[in-house]
Amino acid sequence: IMRDKLRNEAIHFHELIHVVQWRILGPEQFLRSYADGLERVGYKNSPLEVMAYDAEAAFTANDIFDAEKMVAQKLS
């Protein structure tokens, strides 16, 4: 099962969204925002996770978009 996940591009794209969030917010703000989301609404409803899952779904649907621009717009 783990090998299947290693080949799953959608999972890698989801994690890439977190990398972009980290870069835009900076480590301290990213960690604060991520922890706050987990504490307030749980994993699946955490704003940073929702953003990553939405982007993953768009990626899986073969939508073409600028991931960095999308993250920046949603964070502003």
Side-chain angles (χ1 to χ4, degrees), residues 8 13 76:
N8 185 333
F13 190 78
S76 62

Side-chain angles (χ1 to χ4, degrees), residues 4-14 56 59-60:
D4 292 338
K5 289 183 179 184
L6 291 173
R7 293 187 188 111
N8 185 333
E9 290 180 342
I11 291 172
H12 291 286
F13 190 78
H14 174 107
E56 179 183 342
F59 176 84
T60 301

Side-chain angles (χ1 to χ4, degrees), residues 25-71:
L25 294 172
E28 189 173 309
Q29 183 62 35
F30 174 86
L31 292 171
R32 186 180 307 121
S33 297
Y34 196 89
D36 180 63
L38 292 177
E39 184 177 329
R40 285 186 307 104
V41 293
Y43 175 78
K44 276 293 201 182
N45 295 315
S46 171
L48 295 179
E49 281 301 334
V50 169
M51 187 186 309
Y53 277 111
D54 288 349
E56 179 183 342
F59 176 84
T60 301
N62 292 317
D63 290 348
I64 297 173
F65 61 98
D66 184 325
E68 188 167 1
K69 184 177 180 180
M70 181 273 301
V71 171

